Coordinates of all heavy atoms in Angstrom, one line a residue:
G245 N 51.6 4.7 9.9 CA 51.6 3.3 9.6 C 50.7 2.5 10.4 O 50.9 1.3 10.6
L246 N 49.6 3.1 10.9 CA 48.7 2.4 11.8 C 47.2 2.6 11.2 O 47.0 3.3 10.3 CB 48.7 3.0 13.2 CG 50.1 3.0 13.9 CD1 50.0 3.8 15.2 CD2 50.5 1.6 14.2
T250 N 45.0 -0.7 15.4 CA 46.4 -0.8 16.0 C 46.8 0.6 16.6 O 48.0 0.8 17.0 CB 47.4 -1.2 15.0 OG1 47.4 -0.3 13.8 CG2 47.1 -2.6 14.5
T253 N 49.1 1.1 19.7 CA 50.5 0.7 19.6 C 51.4 1.9 19.4 O 52.6 1.7 19.5 CB 50.7 -0.4 18.5 OG1 50.5 0.2 17.2 CG2 49.8 -1.6 18.7
Q279 N 58.1 7.0 20.0 CA 58.1 5.6 19.6 C 59.3 5.3 18.8 O 60.0 4.3 18.9 CB 56.8 5.3 18.9 CG 56.8 3.9 18.4 CD 55.7 3.6 17.4 OE1 55.0 2.6 17.5 NE2 55.5 4.5 16.4
F282 N 62.3 5.0 20.9 CA 62.3 3.8 21.6 C 62.7 2.6 20.7 O 63.6 1.8 21.1 CB 60.8 3.6 22.1 CG 60.6 2.2 22.8 CD1 60.9 2.1 24.2 CD2 60.1 1.1 22.1 CE1 60.8 0.9 24.8 CE2 60.0 -0.1 22.8 CZ 60.3 -0.2 24.1
W283 N 62.1 2.5 19.6 CA 62.4 1.4 18.7 C 63.8 1.4 18.0 O 64.4 0.4 17.8 CB 61.3 1.2 17.7 CG 60.1 0.6 18.2 CD1 58.9 1.2 18.4 CD2 59.9 -0.7 18.7 NE1 58.0 0.4 19.0 CE2 58.6 -0.9 19.2 CE3 60.8 -1.8 18.8 CZ2 58.1 -2.0 19.7 CZ3 60.3 -3.0 19.4 CH2 58.9 -3.1 19.8
R286 N 66.3 -0.4 19.8 CA 66.0 -1.8 19.9 C 65.9 -2.5 18.5 O 65.5 -3.7 18.5 CB 64.7 -2.0 20.7 CG 64.8 -1.6 22.1 CD 63.4 -1.5 22.8 NE 63.5 -1.3 24.2 CZ 63.8 -0.1 24.8 NH1 64.0 1.0 24.0 NH2 63.8 0.0 26.1
L287 N 66.3 -1.8 17.5 CA 66.2 -2.4 16.1 C 66.9 -3.7 15.9 O 66.4 -4.7 15.3 CB 66.6 -1.4 15.1 CG 65.6 -0.4 14.7 CD1 66.2 0.6 13.6 CD2 64.3 -1.0 14.1
K289 N 67.7 -6.0 18.2 CA 67.0 -7.0 18.9 C 65.7 -7.4 18.2 O 65.4 -8.6 18.1 CB 66.7 -6.5 20.4 CG 67.9 -6.5 21.3 CD 68.3 -7.9 21.7 CE 69.5 -7.8 22.7 NZ 69.9 -9.2 23.1
L290 N 65.0 -6.4 17.7 CA 63.8 -6.6 17.0 C 64.1 -7.5 15.8 O 63.3 -8.5 15.5 CB 63.2 -5.3 16.6 CG 61.9 -5.4 15.7 CD1 60.8 -6.1 16.5 CD2 61.5 -4.0 15.2
N291 N 65.1 -7.2 15.0 CA 65.4 -7.9 13.8 C 65.8 -9.4 14.1 O 65.5 -10.3 13.4 CB 66.5 -7.2 13.0 CG 66.1 -5.9 12.4 OD1 64.9 -5.7 12.2 ND2 67.0 -5.0 12.2
Q292 N 66.5 -9.6 15.3 CA 66.9 -10.9 15.7 C 65.7 -11.8 16.0 O 65.7 -13.0 15.8 CB 67.8 -10.8 16.9 CG 69.2 -10.3 16.6 CD 70.0 -10.1 17.9 OE1 69.6 -10.5 18.9 NE2 71.1 -9.4 17.7
T293 N 64.6 -11.2 16.4 CA 63.4 -12.0 16.8 C 62.7 -12.6 15.6 O 62.0 -13.6 15.6 CB 62.4 -11.2 17.6 OG1 61.9 -10.2 16.8 CG2 63.1 -10.7 18.9
G294 N 62.8 -11.8 14.5 CA 62.1 -12.2 13.3 C 60.6 -11.7 13.3 O 59.8 -12.1 12.4
F295 N 60.2 -11.0 14.3 CA 58.9 -10.5 14.4 C 58.8 -9.0 14.0 O 59.8 -8.3 14.1 CB 58.3 -10.7 15.9 CG 58.2 -12.1 16.4 CD1 59.0 -12.6 17.4 CD2 57.3 -12.9 15.8 CE1 58.9 -13.9 17.8 CE2 57.1 -14.2 16.2 CZ 58.0 -14.7 17.3
S296 N 57.6 -8.6 13.7 CA 57.4 -7.2 13.4 C 57.1 -6.5 14.8 O 57.0 -7.1 15.8 CB 56.2 -7.0 12.5 OG 55.0 -7.4 13.2
K297 N 57.1 -5.1 14.7 CA 56.8 -4.4 16.0 C 55.5 -4.8 16.6 O 55.4 -5.0 17.8 CB 56.9 -2.9 15.7 CG 58.2 -2.3 15.4 CD 58.1 -0.8 15.1 CE 59.4 -0.2 14.6 NZ 59.2 1.2 14.3
I298 N 54.5 -4.8 15.7 CA 53.1 -5.2 16.2 C 53.1 -6.6 16.8 O 52.5 -6.8 17.8 CB 52.1 -5.1 15.0 CG1 52.0 -3.7 14.5 CG2 50.7 -5.6 15.5 CD1 51.4 -2.7 15.5
Q299 N 53.8 -7.5 16.2 CA 53.8 -8.9 16.7 C 54.5 -8.9 18.1 O 54.1 -9.6 19.0 CB 54.5 -9.8 15.7 CG 53.7 -10.1 14.5 CD 54.5 -10.9 13.4 OE1 55.7 -10.7 13.3 NE2 53.8 -11.8 12.7
V300 N 55.6 -8.2 18.2 CA 56.3 -8.1 19.5 C 55.4 -7.5 20.5 O 55.3 -8.0 21.7 CB 57.6 -7.3 19.4 CG1 58.2 -6.9 20.8 CG2 58.7 -8.1 18.6
L301 N 54.7 -6.4 20.2 CA 53.8 -5.8 21.1 C 52.6 -6.7 21.5 O 52.2 -6.7 22.6 CB 53.3 -4.5 20.5 CG 54.3 -3.3 20.4 CD1 53.7 -2.2 19.6 CD2 54.8 -2.9 21.8
T302 N 52.2 -7.5 20.5 CA 51.1 -8.4 20.8 C 51.5 -9.5 21.8 O 50.8 -9.8 22.8 CB 50.6 -9.1 19.5 OG1 50.2 -8.0 18.6 CG2 49.4 -10.0 19.8
I303 N 52.7 -10.1 21.6 CA 53.2 -11.1 22.5 C 53.4 -10.4 23.9 O 53.1 -10.9 25.0 CB 54.5 -11.7 22.0 CG1 54.3 -12.4 20.7 CG2 55.1 -12.7 23.1 CD1 55.6 -12.8 20.0
A304 N 54.0 -9.2 23.9 CA 54.3 -8.5 25.1 C 53.0 -8.2 25.9 O 53.0 -8.2 27.1 CB 55.1 -7.2 24.8
S305 N 52.0 -7.9 25.2 CA 50.7 -7.6 25.8 C 50.1 -8.8 26.6 O 49.6 -8.6 27.7 CB 49.7 -7.0 24.8 OG 49.2 -8.1 23.9
I325 N 56.6 -18.1 22.4 CA 57.4 -18.1 21.1 C 57.7 -19.6 20.8 O 57.6 -19.9 19.6 CB 58.7 -17.3 21.3 CG1 58.3 -15.8 21.3 CG2 59.6 -17.6 20.1 CD1 59.5 -14.9 21.6
L328 N 54.5 -20.7 19.2 CA 54.4 -20.2 17.8 C 55.2 -21.0 16.8 O 54.8 -21.2 15.7 CB 54.7 -18.7 17.8 CG 53.8 -17.7 18.5 CD1 54.4 -16.4 18.6 CD2 52.4 -17.7 17.7
L371 N 49.1 -15.6 16.5 CA 48.9 -14.4 17.4 C 47.5 -13.8 17.2 O 46.9 -13.9 16.1 CB 49.9 -13.3 17.1 CG 51.4 -13.6 17.5 CD1 52.3 -12.6 17.0 CD2 51.4 -13.7 19.1
P372 N 46.9 -13.2 18.2 CA 45.7 -12.4 18.0 C 45.9 -11.3 17.0 O 47.1 -11.0 16.7 CB 45.4 -11.8 19.4 CG 46.2 -12.7 20.3 CD 47.4 -13.1 19.6
P373 N 44.9 -10.7 16.5 CA 45.1 -9.6 15.4 C 45.9 -8.4 15.9 O 46.6 -7.8 15.0 CB 43.6 -9.2 15.2 CG 42.8 -10.3 15.6 CD 43.5 -10.9 16.8
Y374 N 45.9 -8.1 17.1 CA 46.6 -6.9 17.6 C 46.7 -7.1 19.2 O 46.1 -7.9 19.8 CB 46.0 -5.6 17.2 CG 44.5 -5.4 17.5 CD1 44.1 -5.1 18.8 CD2 43.6 -5.7 16.5 CE1 42.7 -4.9 19.0 CE2 42.2 -5.5 16.8 CZ 41.8 -5.1 18.0 OH 40.5 -5.0 18.2
P375 N 47.6 -6.2 19.8 CA 47.8 -6.4 21.3 C 46.5 -6.2 22.1 O 45.6 -5.5 21.7 CB 48.7 -5.2 21.6 CG 49.4 -4.9 20.3 CD 48.4 -5.2 19.2
I384 N 57.9 -5.5 26.9 CA 58.4 -5.5 25.5 C 59.8 -6.0 25.5 O 60.2 -6.8 24.6 CB 58.3 -4.0 25.0 CG1 56.9 -3.5 25.0 CG2 59.0 -3.9 23.6 CD1 56.8 -2.0 24.7
V387 N 60.2 -9.7 25.6 CA 60.0 -10.4 24.3 C 61.2 -10.3 23.5 O 61.7 -11.3 22.8 CB 58.7 -9.9 23.6 CG1 58.6 -10.6 22.2 CG2 57.5 -10.1 24.4
L388 N 61.8 -9.1 23.4 CA 63.0 -8.9 22.6 C 64.2 -9.7 23.2 O 65.1 -10.0 22.4 CB 63.3 -7.4 22.6 CG 62.3 -6.5 21.9 CD1 62.7 -5.0 22.1 CD2 62.2 -6.8 20.4

Side-chain angles (χ1 to χ4, degrees):
L246 303 172
T250 58
T253 64
Q279 180 193 221
F282 176 84
W283 284 110
R286 293 165 171 81
L287 276 180
K289 287 287 185 181
L290 175 64
N291 293 333
Q292 288 173 13
T293 66
F295 295 114
S296 68
K297 290 179 186 177
I298 296 294
Q299 289 173 324
V300 166
L301 290 171
T302 301
I303 301 170
S305 70
I325 290 172
L328 288 171
L371 290 171
Y374 50 83
I384 298 171
V387 177
L388 294 175

